[in-house]
Amino acid sequence: MSSLCNKRILVGVTGGIAAYKSAELVRCLANLGADVRVIMTSSAMEFIRPLTLQALSGHPVHSALVDSDAEAGMGHIELARWADVFLIAPATAHCIADLVHGKAASLLGAVYLATPAQVVIAPAMNQGMWHHPANVANMAVLKQRDVKVIGPTSGLQACGDVGLGRMEAPLEIAERIAEHFSTGILQGKQLIITAGPTREAIDPVRYISNRSSGKMGYALASAALDAGAHVTLVSGPVSLSTPEHCVVKQVESAADMHRAVLHACETADIFIAAAAVADYRCADINQQKIKKNAASMSLEFTKNIDIVNTVSSLHENLYIVGFAAETENVTANAKRKLKDKKLNAIVANDVSRHDIGFDADENEVHWITTQDDVCLPKKSKIQLARDLIICIANDFNKSKTGAVCDGVHNATSTDQ
Ligand code: C5P
């Protein structure tokens, strides 16, 4: 069964008898690892109490469009931006008609208009309503707008009719949502990803390191797994939980990371060097703890081997992506590194900004190859990682076969 770890699912509940099944749906989504938030319409609250869905999702339910408290926290635009998928289940005939007409009088309607996320609906209504030409026409409009539809199924209905119109079973809906993320664009490919900082020992208790949290590298590992790749994650010391189904090699120093990467590269198709490797290490590691007797002290450093450089010289057929964390002349410096390190692509980000980059949950980067310079605008590292995996899969396939898969959403091309 696919996982929904790291996935943000916004569930919209509208007012039909099937609303009682949305409690089970929220539980199924959460069981698959999703972070779930719920919006209810006022008529949905006639069928099921918000407290039930709050308890199952672990978050307060959103219902009012104009709510000063909500707008100060997660208002309709934040909710719309937050979601990876906006799942409306059950979607009544009335809700479907409102979506067709872009009615924004309810929170649910406003979020539908504002969200860049994939919208999925699970219709539920009487079989006569489902087959009515007005509803058939409305469904056709939504499908044309790339709204995905799950169900309905056929059977005995709450009203006593038998026919199409029952909401699909909650577990089936949750599994179909999980499949949505399994893109398969790197199916069977072997990936090595480095992540996090390295630690260079000074003595048995002290080290030098940097501010890398590993979030970007770990998000890339998750996104690559969703894309069907086999992933070896070579990770410096971080406090993140490792993605499921991923081979993890924990390392400390740049030398450890170098050894682990060289070993894994023998069978790899793609190497993503997202780690912030220390450029220098202590020339001599003190065997005992250094005492603070002296008024000042100095340490001598030796340059570390450049892992990505070594790998690109040794493995000409390996597709290699580097990262460039820069504080000035961001894209110019990154383009120089792309050439010097003989990389296929480089991801450049501005670490002088406090809102993105090191240790932040969001990032904004440039995807740079010899042909492209594309700005991927600010978003969560998890969403950005999915976009980067699409860029990587596209460029990797182009380099091997000339084939191209789907594009990245919200990217803007910049002049070179
Ligand atoms: O030269 P700079 O350190 O800015 O290059 C960053 C890129 O090089 C990143 O992809 C990083 O993982 C990689 N790197 C490396 N070994 C080093 C230093 C950086 O693989 N010693």
Side-chain angles (χ1 to χ4, degrees):
M1 191 188 291
S2 311
S3 154
L4 280 170
C5 273
N6 281 336
K7 311 298 185 303
R8 297 163 164 188
I9 313 297
L10 181 61
V11 178
V13 184
T14 67
I17 180 60
Y20 80 92
K21 293 189 195 169
S22 50
E24 180 66 9
L25 175 60
V26 168
R27 203 177 66 92
C28 291
L29 293 166
N31 282 350
L32 288 180
D35 188 358
V36 185
R37 306 289 157 96
V38 180
I39 292 178
M40 295 180 82
T41 60
S42 50
S43 51
M45 289 189 279
E46 302 286 330
F47 290 91
I48 178 171
R49 290 181 62 79
L51 196 57
T52 309
L53 298 180
Q54 173 175 318
L56 291 167
S57 67
H59 296 280
V61 167
H62 302 263
S63 55
L65 178 57
V66 185
D67 174 344
S68 51
D69 286 349
E71 292 299 319
M74 212 188 232
H76 66 286
I77 300 297
E78 281 75 20
L79 272 175
R81 286 193 189 130
W82 174 87
D84 291 321
V85 164
F86 182 26
L87 166 64
I88 306 175
T92 58
H94 181 245
C95 158
I96 288 167
D98 274 356
L99 298 182
V100 167
H101 291 285
K103 291 198 174 174
S106 69
L107 178 63
L108 188 140
V111 168
Y112 166 71
L113 291 181
T115 191
Q118 174 67 55
V119 178
V120 182
I121 60 170
M125 65 195 75
N126 164 267
Q127 56 84 25
M129 294 166 77
W130 175 252
H131 291 296
H132 191 282
N135 185 63
V136 171
N138 286 341
M139 287 301 301
V141 171
L142 293 186
K143 283 182 188 167
Q144 211 178 18
R145 285 188 201 148
D146 197 33
V147 170
K148 300 271 180 284
V149 182
I150 301 178
T153 61
S154 191
L156 179 63
Q157 302 204 282
C159 55
D161 279 6
V162 176
L164 262 183
R166 285 161 58 107
M167 187 172 104
E168 182 57 273
L171 184 58
E172 175 68 23
I173 297 176
E175 285 178 356
R176 296 271 296 278
I177 295 294
E179 279 165 20
H180 164 79
F181 292 97
S182 305
T183 59
I185 52 176
L186 287 175
Q187 196 63 45
K189 297 287 174 277
Q190 301 278 349
L191 259 74
I192 305 169
I193 301 176
T194 62
T198 63
R199 279 182 188 168
E200 309 300 328
I202 296 171
D203 67 18
V205 283
R206 304 180 181 96
Y207 57 80
I208 56 164
S209 189
N210 60 61
R211 293 175 53 206
S212 169
S213 63
K215 285 177 187 165
M216 195 68 236
Y218 275 58
L220 282 163
S222 285
L225 288 162
D226 287 342
H230 302 288
V231 179
T232 301
L233 181 61
V234 181
S235 173
V238 295
S239 46
L240 298 172
S241 43
T242 49
E244 271 179 64
H245 311 302
C246 178
V247 176
V248 183
K249 299 201 184 305
Q250 304 282 0
V251 296
E252 285 248 337
S253 65
D256 296 341
M257 187 171 275
H258 183 225
R259 267 190 298 277
V261 167
L262 282 193
H263 182 71
C265 273
E266 294 301 326
T267 52
D269 299 294
I270 296 173
F271 171 36
I272 306 176
V277 185
D279 293 322
Y280 293 89
R281 66 178 183 281
C282 284
D284 287 306
I285 302 172
N286 267 273
Q287 294 310 307
Q288 304 299 331
K289 184 180 171 190
I290 301 169
K291 296 293 175 199
K292 56 181 175 195
N293 300 334
S296 68
M297 67 173 286
S298 55
L299 293 168
E300 193 188 333
F301 291 101
T302 306
K303 198 159 193 187
N304 271 331
I305 196 158
D306 191 304
I307 302 169
V308 82
N309 226 345
T310 322
V311 171
S312 69
S313 329
L314 289 174
H315 298 274
E316 280 184 8
N317 289 328
L318 186 62
Y319 183 92
I320 305 177
V321 183
F323 270 70
E326 302 291 335
T327 54
E328 55 182 351
N329 305 323
V330 177
T331 53
N333 283 335
K335 283 175 187 171
R336 188 175 42 74
K337 285 178 187 173
L338 174 77
K339 198 159 162 255
D340 291 351
K341 297 186 187 229
K342 297 185 277 309
L343 308 173
N344 295 82
I346 194 154
V347 179
N349 68 315
D350 184 347
V351 288
S352 69
R353 282 172 56 178
H354 295 296
D355 58 328
I356 57 169
F358 280 140
D359 211 23
D361 288 328
E362 294 190 313
N363 211 350
E364 177 180 304
V365 300
H366 278 249
W367 163 258
I368 300 172
T369 64
T370 48
Q371 270 107 50
D372 290 327
D373 177 348
V374 178
C375 176
L376 303 179
K378 184 172 156 182
K379 55 178 82 172
S380 80
K381 286 184 176 171
I382 289 164
Q383 290 169 321
L384 197 61
R386 286 185 208 129
D387 287 351
L388 283 171
I389 288 296
I390 293 172
C391 292
I392 291 167
N394 257 333
D395 203 49
F396 170 78
N397 288 333
K398 207 162 64 179
S399 72
K400 301 291 170 199
T401 64
V404 176
C405 49
D406 271 353
V408 175
H409 303 294
N410 298 333
T412 50
S413 220
T414 56
D415 292 328
Q416 284 200 268

